[in-house]
Every structure is written in structure tokens, then in C-alpha cells.
Amino acid sequence: MMGQMRQVVMLLFFSSISFGVLLTAKTEENIMMVSSPFELHLVHLDLKGAPPRVSYLAEIFPLFHVLGANGILLEYEDMYPYDGELKPLQANDAYSPSEVKEILKLAKSHDLEVIPLIQTFGHMEFVLKHKEFCHLREVAMFPNTVNPHKEDSLKLVIAMIEQVMALHDNLRWFHIGCDEVYYLGEGEESKEWLQQEENTIEKLCLAHMKAVASHIVSTHPTVKPIVWDDMLRRTSKETLRDSGLAQLIELMIWDYSPDLDVESKASLIEKYQKCNFSKFWFASAFKGATGVNQCLTLIGHHLKNHKQWLKVAESCPAGIVRGITLTGWQRYDHFSVLCELLPVGIPSLAICLQALKNGGYSEKVREDVEKLLGLSHLEIDSFMSDITGTFPGNEILSLVSQIAFYLKSSIDELLENNRYVTGWFSPYHRKRKKIHPIMIHHFQPDAIRLLTKWTVLTEELQTAMKKIFYTTAVEEWIEENVQPSLQRLQGTVDDLNCAVHELS
């Protein structure tokens, strides 16, 4: 009970909001406050798309802590300040060494344990796209998977790991990725290797994972490697057990679906246990898993996913689950478009974290989240078009929601459903300048008014985004999500202006 009281006091101090309801909640709800089956609740920050400025992390790390997170899975990708021969891997906006140190300091000050994540097998596009490293591709045409046969491939990933290790003190875990190793076995060297008796793609995969993990364990004995589990799911028990991988790593089992099959996950965990794996992590999703170009986050979808993971945890033997990572993918891969921006996903993250901390979802969880985020009302099962809150970045969520709901539809309504536009200002008329001057006056004011409205709102969004993201991310999001519709409207207004000028 004293631990619960300290948690309530901490919430009061952070949010400056009265939480008397927490003190007067029913006894069973108070018990539920400490019923999470997970020791660690990690928030995944995917930096390969729209990486936040350090100043924004300083704002949201305290919120993560209050919501129930006690760790960060930090996927650096090309935002790490690689040096020397690895310098080409840096994005133009990559964090500096001092910024990385500041991020780690901020995390520590808010009791958030950092676990770095560096891809070392699949999802290596940010490395293998460069001419300096393209010779290390598994398949010459594809930059996604590293060739496990080349000695320089292992040297490369070890060099990456060591540079990341250099700026991180007192690590307990280091995530080496290894998910979705597509086209493994399809390179020329792999094809030749697979022709030898008893060689399989599974053994090839395990050998590379083991080589990377062995380096970490031997060089940094206090650090345990973590690996995504998907490449191992169909591997036979005998092959997996004989590989010896279980003695080196811990598995992070991921599934982002709302109808996650609890029984199949329990069976999978049982299989892994029989292969000598002793500790497990789960990975859910709070955003970035419902569409490659998704703009808004449907909270209910992700909440269901977390409810299912709670059921999986309940079915597990005591003591085998380390924690859960709430992933927040920013791109599906290095080359794909941006999906939901981090501020857009904050309400979903808040609901999911609180549901985990409370051992389930209830109306009280929703009410507490609304107070913490300064929201008057939070819809769970549908998108909300009008959102105002007080959490860091809330203005971006509000503006993005307006664009997602109304930008294209309002412009389509004018350009495709207005009888004066379709009847007297069609592409045919505009091209041949066969314009009826009376008809123009029926819709020109509406077109100008609509263009002004969306131009102003876009400028507001750009200003808000530049406080949180680097210019490249702002430009990409606007170009992908705003410009296609806005340019259609701008073109119409330009043609109107020309027509009026010629008719005057």
C-alpha cells in the first residue's frame, strides 16, 4: 500500500492535477494498480523516421515515467553518430555524441533504463544502401540483408555494436535485431553452401546470430543480447537446441495483432523453453502497425493487442517473462513512408501503458489517462476529429487530425461535387480558356477561402512540427500528406485568377 501511495503522490506532483479519485478507488482497483505481470515496460523509439529532437525527449520522458514506463528500447538506425569508416551510416540529422549522452542522462533522471537496438542481420538498408558496404549484401540487388558468409559482414556489425557500446554505460541488455531476414539463402554464396549435406537456412541464420551474440557476451560479459524471435519460430527444436543460442541470448516475441492467439503464443513459449531459453520479452505495438502510411492511431486496435499479451503473460510460468516492449514504428523499413508521428500516438501509448500497469483496461484507466494528458474525452474505438490536450506535442495531434479528416474531403467536395466547377470549369474549359465569367463568381470565393484556410493550418502544423522534428521530417510529412490535395486546389485557384485577369 505504501508503494501505491508513493505512486499517487508522484502523479500529483507531475501533473498538478487532483487525483483524489485514485485515493478513493475501490479496493479491487487499488490491488489492480500493482498487478502488472511485467517487471519492465519499455517504450520503443524508432529513430529511422521523424526522430524527435532531444528537447522533445526532455518533455516526454517524464510523461513516459508517470504513465508506467521504466525503460526505453532505443532503435538508433541511422541517427547514431557513427565515426571513422562507419561515418557514411549517419543521417544528415544524426544525433551528436553529446546529444546521445544527453538522451541517456534524461532517461536515467526519469528512471528509464535504456536498451539500445542495432540491426545486425535483416533491415540493414541504412547500411547496405551505401557504396562502401553494398558488397556485403546477401543478394546483390537487395540492401536489406547482410551476407553471413563474408568475414567483413561480422566485422561490420561488431564495429557498429562497439561504437554504440562506447557511449552507453552500465548496460544490462543490447538488442541486436535479426527480425525479417528476407532473402536469406538466396545469395550465390548461400546457394552454394546450402548444397552441402545437412546445411539449412535455419542453421545459417542461427550461426550468424550466434556469432554476433558471442562477441557481445565475450567482450561485454555483463550485457545480455536480445533477439527478435520471428526467424526462429519454425526452426525445429533439435536444431534450435543444438545451436547453443539459448545460452547466449534472450528472445523478444513480437505480435501486433488485436486478435493475437494466446494459446499459440503459450505453445511457442513452451517450445522455446524446451530449447533451453529461460527468459523472455514480449513486444506489442502502440502505433505504427496498422498501415504503412497511417496518419492517425486507432487506440482500440492496440489496446486489444495489449489485453491479449496480458493473457499470454498470465498463462506463463512465474519468473520467465522479463518485460514487454511497446513498439512505436515510425517506418515499416528504411525506404518506406512515415506512419503515425510520435505525438499522434501518445494517447494510445498512455492507454496501453496504463492498461498494462493496472493488469487490464477499465473506465478508470481511461479517466486517469484523460487527466494526465489534459483531454476532455478520449475515444477508444474510433478516430477523433477534434482533439485538444495539454501533453507535449498535443497541437500536432490536433492539426494532423484536421488534415486527415477534412483536407482531401473538403477539396474533393469543391472540385468534384460543385456543379459550377464540374459544369463550367472542367479541365476541358480550363485548357481551352472557354470560361463563362458569370459562373466563376459562383465558386471563386469558396475556392480562395478554402485555400487560405488550409494554407494557414499547414503553416501552423509546420511551425509545431519544427519544434519537435528536424526539417527533413517536416518536409517529408507535408509533401506526402498535404501537398497532393493542396496543389490540386492551388492549381484551380491559379487558373481562376488567370481566367479573371483575361476576362477583365
Side-chain angles (χ1 to χ4, degrees):
M1 286 297 294
M2 289 302 294
Q4 293 170 255
M5 291 296 291
R6 282 195 295 271
Q7 183 180 13
V8 171
V9 171
M10 185 168 59
L11 290 172
L12 285 166
F13 177 78
F14 175 80
S15 61
S16 300
I17 298 173
S18 175
F19 273 86
V21 64
L22 294 175
L23 298 175
T24 59
K26 296 177 182 179
T27 303
E28 57 267 29
E29 289 179 328
N30 285 332
I31 293 173
M32 201 164 60
M33 287 285 286
V34 292
S35 61
S36 172
F38 304 107
E39 175 189 349
L40 289 165
H41 302 85
L42 309 180
V43 177
H44 170 238
L45 293 179
D46 178 19
L47 302 182
K48 67 176 174 283
R53 296 180 185 272
V54 178
S55 56
Y56 184 62
L57 297 179
E59 293 185 79
I60 58 173
F61 278 4
L63 179 61
F64 288 176
H65 174 76
V66 169
L67 289 171
N70 52 10
I72 303 291
L73 181 63
L74 196 55
E75 183 162 358
Y76 282 109
E77 229 233 18
D78 59 0
M79 283 301 290
Y80 193 79
Y82 291 108
D83 201 5
E85 65 177 359
L86 299 182
K87 195 160 188 177
L89 307 187
Q90 282 193 42
N92 292 332
D93 299 321
Y95 297 136
S96 66
S98 61
E99 286 178 315
V100 171
K101 282 292 188 182
E102 179 63 19
I103 292 170
L104 299 178
K105 180 181 177 182
L106 287 167
K108 185 177 181 180
S109 67
H110 296 292
D111 298 321
L112 299 169
E113 181 169 3
V114 172
I115 299 176
L117 190 161
I118 297 295
Q119 288 288 1
T120 60
F121 207 174
H123 285 296
M124 289 281 281
E125 293 93 346
F126 78 103
V127 178
L128 300 177
K129 72 177 184 180
H130 296 286
K131 63 180 186 298
E132 294 91 340
F133 306 107
C134 65
H135 65 286
L136 298 178
R137 298 175 178 181
E138 165 71 341
V139 177
M141 287 182 61
F142 306 145
N144 57 298
T145 296
V146 74
N147 184 338
H149 302 280
K150 290 188 181 295
E151 186 179 342
D152 284 349
S153 294
L154 185 58
K155 289 181 179 179
L156 168 66
V157 297
I158 286 175
M160 293 165 60
I161 289 168
E162 289 306 314
Q163 287 203 18
V164 174
M165 287 281 192
L167 289 182
H168 294 73
D169 300 323
N170 303 316
L171 287 179
R172 291 199 288 170
W173 293 282
F174 193 108
H175 202 308
I176 59 173
C178 300
D179 61 316
E180 298 180 331
V181 189
Y182 298 139
Y183 303 105
L184 180 63
E186 296 187 22
E188 292 306 314
E189 290 177 79
S190 288
K191 288 178 181 178
E192 184 177 342
W193 184 84
L194 288 169
Q195 289 177 358
Q196 299 174 34
E197 191 176 354
E198 295 186 359
N199 284 350
T200 64
I201 291 177
E202 289 78 12
K203 289 181 179 179
L204 180 60
C205 181
L206 289 164
H208 182 76
M209 289 181 181
K210 188 174 180 180
V212 177
S214 294
H215 168 79
I216 292 177
V217 171
S218 61
T219 311
H220 307 276
T222 60
V223 180
K224 191 78 170 181
I226 299 174
V227 170
W228 297 116
D229 85 300
D230 56 291
M231 293 301 295
L232 309 180
R233 291 172 190 169
R234 296 183 180 180
T235 304
S236 71
K237 293 176 187 176
E238 182 182 13
T239 300
L240 194 50
R241 188 187 307 115
D242 292 347
S243 71
L245 190 62
Q247 285 71 44
L248 298 171
I249 69 165
E250 294 179 358
L251 288 177
M252 187 170 282
I253 305 168
W254 62 272
D255 192 324
Y256 312 141
S257 60
D259 56 352
L260 179 157
D261 189 325
V262 175
E263 288 187 10
S264 69
K265 284 293 178 290
S267 297
L268 182 62
I269 292 167
E270 184 179 355
K271 168 191 170 179
Y272 288 147
Q273 283 187 289
K274 290 179 180 177
C275 296
N276 299 322
F277 290 94
S278 57
K279 295 289 184 179
F280 301 93
W281 302 75
F282 298 157
S284 57
F286 72 89
K287 78 172 191 73
T290 58
V292 68
N293 63 342
Q294 185 77 19
C295 286
L296 299 177
T297 305
L298 185 58
I299 296 174
H301 176 101
H302 300 289
L303 178 59
K304 289 175 183 176
N305 175 241
H306 288 81
K307 287 179 178 178
Q308 294 301 95
W309 274 120
L310 283 169
K311 292 178 183 177
V312 175
E314 290 169 5
S315 72
C316 289
I320 71 166
V321 180
R322 289 267 193 209
I324 185 168
T325 296
L326 292 82
T327 63
W329 300 102
Q330 197 54 74
R331 298 187 196 276
Y332 275 29
D333 69 33
H334 182 78
F335 289 107
S336 68
V337 298
L338 294 170
C339 41
E340 307 107 294
L341 298 169
L342 180 57
V344 171
I346 292 296
S348 176
L349 174 65
I351 286 287
C352 294
L353 269 173
Q354 282 287 289
L356 291 175
K357 287 293 289 184
N358 288 291
Y361 175 73
S362 65
E363 279 301 300
K364 181 177 177 303
V365 165
R366 182 179 60 79
E367 292 168 4
D368 289 347
V369 167
E370 287 172 348
K371 291 175 183 177
L372 281 168
L373 301 185
L375 296 166
S376 58
H377 179 68
L378 189 58
E379 275 295 335
I380 303 299
D381 296 316
S382 63
F383 296 118
M384 291 189 297
S385 59
D386 183 21
I387 300 175
T388 55
T390 58
F391 64 92
N394 71 88
E395 65 275 18
I396 289 179
L397 173 56
S398 177
L399 293 167
V400 166
S401 296
Q402 292 182 57
I403 287 171
F405 269 89
Y406 304 120
L407 172 63
K408 186 177 185 300
S409 61
S410 66
I411 292 173
D412 287 349
E413 180 67 25
L414 176 70
L415 301 186
E416 297 174 15
N417 295 331
N418 184 295
R419 65 188 293 262
Y420 296 107
V421 176
T422 58
W424 285 272
F425 205 65
S426 70
Y428 175 88
H429 294 99
R430 291 160 67 177
K431 181 178 179 180
R432 291 164 177 78
K433 302 187 186 304
K434 297 177 63 174
I435 311 299
H436 193 313
I438 293 178
M439 297 305 177
I440 287 177
H441 295 290
H442 283 292
F443 69 90
Q444 186 184 32
D446 291 336
I448 293 173
R449 191 160 44 245
L450 194 60
L451 179 61
T452 301
K453 170 190 172 181
W454 287 117
T455 300
V456 169
L457 190 144
T458 299
E459 290 172 353
E460 291 177 4
L461 177 58
Q462 288 174 309
T463 299
M465 287 183 69
K466 285 177 181 177
K467 295 176 183 177
I468 294 176
F469 303 111
Y470 298 96
T471 301
T472 50
V474 179
E475 291 176 347
E476 179 184 352
W477 199 92
I478 296 297
E479 189 170 332
E480 287 283 347
N481 298 282
V482 177
Q483 289 303 328
S485 292
L486 205 57
Q487 284 173 353
R488 287 183 66 212
L489 181 58
Q490 182 68 64
T492 302
V493 171
D494 289 345
D495 286 351
L496 276 168
N497 291 336
C498 288
V500 170
H501 178 72
E502 290 178 4
L503 291 170
S504 62

